[in-house]
Amino acid sequence: MEPPATPEAGYHLTEDLADHAISFIAGAKQVAPDKPFFLNFCPGATHAPDHVPKEWDPAQADPRSDSSSFSRIRSAIDASAST
């Protein structure tokens, strides 16, 4: 199955999966509003904080900078390992 667009065109698998999950829930609630449903949501595109799109976290312009999320996480892990 081919994705509807490329990553360069803004396609992101997790967003697509979330949209389909929301549609599933809406449909399930329309067909049987009082009946419970099961949805196993497994995002296929997991990422670490330093891999989010740059427009979501401007500090990621340079992941090696001291202000980046990755740097803060690394510092927190180093600090907890030394105690």
Side-chain angles (χ1 to χ4, degrees):
M1 176 188 295
E2 291 295 317
T6 64
E8 295 78 22
Y11 178 77
H12 195 271
L13 176 63
T14 301
E15 290 177 28
D16 198 20
L17 291 173
D19 290 341
H20 284 281
I22 291 167
S23 295
F24 170 81
I25 293 168
K29 287 302 180 183
Q30 286 180 350
V31 172
D34 297 327
K35 186 176 179 182
F37 63 89
F38 175 77
L39 173 66
N40 186 15
F41 185 76
C42 300
T46 58
H47 54 74
D50 59 324
H51 295 138
V52 298
K54 287 185 173 126
E55 64 269 13
W56 290 4
D57 185 0
Q60 296 308 319
D62 180 1
R64 294 162 297 185
S65 74
D66 288 336
S67 64
S68 73
S69 297
F70 179 76
S71 179
R72 292 190 306 269
I73 290 169
R74 184 179 56 221
S75 295
I77 291 170
D78 289 346
S80 68
S82 64
T83 58

